[in-house]
Amino acid sequence: MTIYDITLTISPALPVWPGDPAVKLEQVASMARGDTANVTRLELGAHTGTHVDAPHHFLNDGRTVEALPLEVLTGPCYVVQLPDAVEAITAEVLVRTPIPNGVERILFGTRNSHGWAQNEQEFQPDFVAITEDGAEWLTGHGVKLVGVDYLSVAPFHQSTATHRVLLLAGVVILEGVNLAQIPRGFYQLYCLPLKLLGSDGAPARVILVR
Ligand SMILES: [Zn+2]
């Protein structure tokens, strides 16, 4: 059995979405300073690093993250590796990409993952993402979970349409996975977002097992 950790390491060096809170990991008790234990305080946005979006992120009456179904967050998953020349995951790109029939969970590796492999710390506004018609292709093909390798499933400045198509169809969105070392093919996905009451998203530890 091989376990692939596709989770980004949360630290102040991780790029965050423009306007979202910066990551702070603050030591509030320190054995080096004479405390009996070390304790860290977290300060971060719900959409930090590797995370899931709940429907409530773009649908005000949509369900929140603690209610996402674990049956969707875990199970067989197909990883696609798109060529570096792909600038956007459109319906046209999906039509000519070999994707096995009946795939319910799919992760897209793109040139975005090169940045994670190189510990890129600047936000990259020209990241590869899924267009509205790409999202419609996915919902039309029965996909229940879709993952991308940058901080949003949708192109920068065009967030709403792609998110709404997916979330209205009940698709779980996983963002910010690092697929730099993951060959194309089938895996078992374990995606476990923090159980945050009433939140629009949550950081997740995500692994692929083969
Ligand atoms: Zn998000």
Side-chain angles (χ1 to χ4, degrees), residues 84 111-122 124 178 180-181:
D84 286 355
R111 62 172 168 78
N112 297 335
S113 282
H114 302 331
W116 301 132
Q118 293 157 16
N119 285 316
E120 174 62 62
Q121 295 184 16
E122 294 294 315
Q124 303 293 316
N178 178 0
Q181 306 295 333

Coordinates of all heavy atoms in Angstrom, one line a residue, residues 84 111-122 124 178 180-181:
D84 N 0.8 20.9 -19.5 CA 1.0 22.3 -19.0 C 0.4 23.3 -19.9 O 0.2 24.4 -19.5 CB 2.6 22.5 -19.0 CG 3.2 21.8 -17.8 OD1 2.5 21.2 -17.0 OD2 4.4 21.9 -17.7
R111 N -0.5 22.5 -14.4 CA 0.8 23.2 -14.2 C 0.8 23.9 -12.8 O 1.8 24.2 -12.3 CB 1.1 24.2 -15.3 CG 0.1 25.3 -15.5 CD 0.6 26.3 -16.5 NE -0.4 27.3 -16.9 CZ -0.9 28.3 -16.2 NH1 -0.3 28.6 -15.0 NH2 -1.8 29.1 -16.7
N112 N -0.4 24.1 -12.2 CA -0.5 24.7 -10.9 C 0.4 24.0 -9.9 O 1.0 24.6 -9.0 CB -1.9 24.7 -10.3 CG -2.9 25.5 -11.1 OD1 -2.5 26.5 -11.8 ND2 -4.2 25.2 -11.0
S113 N 0.4 22.6 -10.0 CA 1.2 21.8 -9.0 C 2.7 22.1 -9.1 O 3.3 21.8 -8.1 CB 0.8 20.4 -9.2 OG -0.4 20.1 -8.6
H114 N 3.2 22.5 -10.2 CA 4.6 22.8 -10.2 C 5.0 23.9 -9.1 O 6.0 23.8 -8.5 CB 5.1 23.4 -11.6 CG 4.8 22.5 -12.7 ND1 4.7 21.1 -12.6 CD2 4.5 22.7 -14.0 CE1 4.5 20.6 -13.8 NE2 4.3 21.5 -14.7
G115 N 4.1 24.9 -9.0 CA 4.3 25.9 -8.0 C 4.4 25.3 -6.6 O 5.2 25.8 -5.8
W116 N 3.5 24.4 -6.3 CA 3.6 23.7 -4.9 C 4.9 23.0 -4.7 O 5.5 23.0 -3.7 CB 2.4 22.8 -4.7 CG 1.0 23.4 -4.8 CD1 0.0 23.0 -5.5 CD2 0.6 24.7 -4.2 NE1 -1.1 23.8 -5.4 CE2 -0.8 24.9 -4.6 CE3 1.2 25.6 -3.4 CZ2 -1.5 26.0 -4.2 CZ3 0.4 26.7 -2.9 CH2 -0.9 26.9 -3.4
A117 N 5.3 22.3 -5.8 CA 6.5 21.5 -5.7 C 7.7 22.4 -5.5 O 8.7 22.0 -4.9 CB 6.7 20.7 -7.0
Q118 N 7.6 23.7 -6.0 CA 8.7 24.6 -5.8 C 8.5 25.6 -4.6 O 9.2 26.6 -4.5 CB 8.9 25.5 -7.1 CG 9.3 24.7 -8.3 CD 8.9 25.3 -9.6 OE1 8.6 26.5 -9.7 NE2 9.0 24.5 -10.7
N119 N 7.5 25.2 -3.8 CA 7.2 26.1 -2.6 C 7.0 27.5 -2.9 O 7.4 28.5 -2.2 CB 8.3 26.0 -1.5 CG 8.3 24.7 -0.8 OD1 7.2 24.2 -0.4 ND2 9.4 24.0 -0.6
E120 N 6.3 27.7 -4.0 CA 5.9 29.1 -4.5 C 5.1 29.8 -3.4 O 4.1 29.2 -2.8 CB 5.0 29.0 -5.7 CG 4.5 30.3 -6.3 CD 5.5 31.3 -6.6 OE1 6.3 31.0 -7.6 OE2 5.5 32.4 -6.0
Q121 N 5.5 31.0 -3.0 CA 4.9 31.7 -1.8 C 4.0 32.9 -2.3 O 3.2 33.4 -1.5 CB 5.9 32.2 -0.9 CG 6.7 31.0 -0.2 CD 7.7 31.4 0.8 OE1 7.6 32.5 1.3 NE2 8.5 30.5 1.2
E122 N 4.1 33.3 -3.5 CA 3.3 34.4 -4.0 C 2.0 33.8 -4.6 O 2.0 32.8 -5.3 CB 4.0 35.1 -5.2 CG 5.2 35.8 -4.7 CD 4.9 37.0 -3.8 OE1 4.0 37.8 -4.1 OE2 5.6 37.1 -2.8
Q124 N -0.8 33.3 -7.2 CA -0.7 33.2 -8.7 C -2.0 33.5 -9.4 O -2.8 32.5 -9.5 CB -0.1 31.9 -9.2 CG 1.2 31.5 -8.5 CD 2.4 32.3 -9.0 OE1 2.5 32.6 -10.2 NE2 3.2 32.8 -8.1
N178 N -2.0 19.3 -3.8 CA -0.7 19.2 -4.5 C -0.6 17.9 -5.2 O -0.5 16.8 -4.6 CB 0.4 19.4 -3.5 CG 1.8 19.3 -4.2 OD1 1.9 19.1 -5.4 ND2 2.8 19.5 -3.4
A180 N 1.6 17.2 -7.7 CA 2.9 17.2 -8.4 C 3.5 15.8 -8.6 O 4.2 15.6 -9.6 CB 3.9 18.2 -7.7
Q181 N 3.3 15.0 -7.6 CA 4.0 13.7 -7.6 C 3.0 12.5 -7.9 O 3.3 11.4 -7.6 CB 4.7 13.4 -6.3 CG 5.7 14.5 -5.9 CD 6.9 14.6 -6.8 OE1 7.2 13.6 -7.5 NE2 7.4 15.8 -7.0

